[in-house]
Amino acid sequence: MTFTGHQEAAALTWVQALGTDSTLDSANYCKGKTDTIVQHGMAYCQGCHIALEERSRGGDTRLTPPLGLGNLSSTYRPFLLSGFPGLEDSHPVISILFCALYLVALMGNIIILVVIRVEQSLHAPMYFFLSMLAATDLGLCTATLPTLLQLFWFKVCEIDFDACLTQMFFIHVFSLMESGILLTMAFDRYVAISNPLRYTTILTESTITKIGVGLLLRAVAVILPGPFLIKRLSFCKANVLSHSYCLHPDIIKLSCSDHRINSIYGLIIILITFGADSVLILFSYLKILITVQGIASKEEQFKALNTCVSHICAVLLVYIPMLGVSIIHRFGKHVPPMVHIIMGYVYLLIPPVLNPVVYCVKTQGIRTRILGNLLKLQQRVL
């Protein structure tokens, strides 16, 4: 992107009007972009049509576009997505890795959905819940992939304020649904082990459908106030996000107004959803262990516990990165920015990528059907 003489003159007039004590915090705004052009005390980042000015004496930081450089009709300025600061020249290479991970996630979860849909023998409660988990993982991938590609492929770092809130909403809804589905899968394992004769009569298709709708309504109901609470805030500092997508903690920390209500809201949501889900999952497994201890045969005990391994792996894949991101966002003020960035990608990418792998490897029903279909395909080709 190049700037016209009119834009540069407008920027110069803007800086001069603010006084000679104005300095530019280009390190905070441009995030080490290699295509930064500094002229007239103003830094321009190609592809980002916002200029940041900071008064050195008063410490007053304002995000205000000079004439010809911004959209004056918008109430909120666009947010700026971040990749890997200092590694902009390597973004095309990094994007190949991300695309490979997304491709694995998309293909793996689609295969699970298709196999469960086609194979009548897999129309059981456990596999219905697994299909819900796969659909949720696909939703997470769909919510994050567009902005990641626009940044790493097309070097477009701006995202509209409302678009950012929309993406944030769907990311958190799918994350919350994933947590709820893992809880129902723990309950499913408990019913299957403790009361196998009534397993299919307790978890009927109608009951499973109601559980799925209930999880969706819960996620939407608790996340819906988030965007409206954010719209109460003022954003007068550089709107540079820590990732290539929008998260609630990442957005509110950019506000220059009092965002304690938003922080309390976020903490309450974590406690009543993810916190409660994790406690109930732990309680379910305690009940499972107690039930298994009552089984006389060691072989039957091992067989019962083996059916829970894939679910335990899925729980760990979701909750460990989630816990790490939450701790870093709230208490990691002195943690290097690269740690924030990497943990953010781990949180959103690892579960969708590895969940299909874990269930395909550890779940005999899924593994057998996939290998059988591959052998049939091979025979047709040959």
Side-chain angles (χ1 to χ4, degrees), residues 5 14 35 129 150 269 274 281 286 295 315 355 379-380:
W14 181 62
D35 55 356
F129 288 127
Q150 86 171 37
I269 293 304
F274 296 110
I281 289 172
L286 289 175
I295 300 176
V315 170
N355 277 342
Q379 291 173 356
R380 290 178 183 177

Side-chain angles (χ1 to χ4, degrees), residues 39-337:
Q39 291 179 329
H40 307 309
M42 185 66 58
Y44 303 102
C45 295
Q46 292 185 13
C48 305
H49 311 288
I50 299 178
L52 174 67
E53 179 276 333
E54 179 176 78
R55 288 185 179 272
S56 58
R57 281 193 268 185
D60 174 30
T61 308
R62 290 170 289 174
L63 185 63
T64 309
L67 183 62
L69 293 176
N71 181 9
L72 297 178
S73 63
S74 176
T75 305
Y76 300 97
R77 303 292 185 266
F79 286 112
L80 305 177
L81 304 170
S82 293
F84 292 89
L87 299 176
E88 284 76 12
D89 290 339
S90 302
H91 276 183
V93 177
I94 296 172
S95 69
I96 296 175
L97 173 61
F98 280 130
C99 287
L101 291 174
Y102 272 106
L103 186 62
V104 171
L106 293 173
M107 292 300 296
N109 287 292
I110 288 173
I111 287 173
I112 286 178
L113 287 172
V114 171
V115 169
I116 293 175
R117 177 69 179 86
V118 172
E119 296 291 338
Q120 290 292 327
S121 60
L122 298 182
H123 290 186
M126 172 185 174
Y127 297 106
F128 287 143
F129 288 127
L130 178 56
S131 64
M132 289 184 191
L133 184 65
T136 302
D137 285 338
L138 284 176
L140 270 176
C141 292
T142 305
T144 56
L145 186 58
T147 53
L148 186 143
L149 292 182
Q150 86 171 37
L151 177 66
F152 285 94
W153 280 10
F154 305 107
K155 296 183 179 180
V156 178
C157 60
E158 285 189 2
I159 179 171
D160 183 73
F161 185 85
D162 290 328
C164 187
L165 294 187
T166 302
Q167 184 187 49
M168 179 204 77
F169 173 79
F170 282 107
I171 287 175
H172 290 301
V173 163
F174 285 124
S175 297
L176 188 53
M177 284 189 64
E178 189 167 45
S179 175
I181 291 169
L182 290 173
L183 171 59
T184 59
M185 293 175 80
F187 175 72
D188 166 80
R189 291 298 82 210
Y190 170 67
V191 174
I193 293 172
S194 64
N195 203 344
L197 297 178
R198 297 187 57 205
Y199 176 53
T200 54
T201 58
I202 294 174
L203 292 174
T204 62
E205 289 190 20
S206 174
T207 302
I208 293 171
T209 301
K210 291 176 181 177
I211 290 174
V213 173
L215 293 175
L216 176 61
L217 292 177
R218 182 189 76 153
V220 171
V222 299
I223 299 299
L224 190 60
F228 296 100
L229 290 175
I230 288 176
K231 286 207 168 188
R232 297 172 51 254
L233 304 177
S234 299
F235 295 89
C236 49
K237 293 185 179 181
N239 291 8
V240 182
L241 299 170
S242 302
H243 311 288
S244 58
Y245 48 83
C246 303
L247 295 176
H248 182 265
D250 204 16
I251 295 175
I252 64 173
K253 75 178 182 181
L254 296 176
S255 170
C256 57
S257 57
D258 186 0
H259 58 266
R260 282 178 295 181
I261 293 177
N262 300 73
S263 297
I264 294 172
Y265 160 77
L267 181 60
I268 291 174
I269 293 304
I270 290 175
L271 291 176
I272 66 174
T273 55
F274 296 110
D277 290 348
S278 60
V279 170
L280 291 174
I281 289 172
L282 181 61
F283 178 73
S284 297
Y285 273 101
L286 289 175
K287 297 285 288 182
I288 288 173
L289 288 175
I290 294 172
T291 303
V292 169
Q293 289 297 318
I295 300 176
S297 171
K298 293 291 183 181
E299 183 180 349
E300 291 298 321
Q301 288 181 354
F302 176 79
K303 185 178 179 180
L305 291 176
N306 192 49
T307 63
C308 302
V309 172
S310 54
H311 178 257
I312 292 173
C313 291
V315 170
L316 295 177
L317 287 173
V318 170
Y319 278 94
I320 290 178
M322 184 186 301
L323 182 63
V325 169
S326 299
I327 291 174
I328 288 176
H329 266 294
R330 295 184 182 279
F331 307 108
K333 294 181 179 179
H334 303 293
V335 174

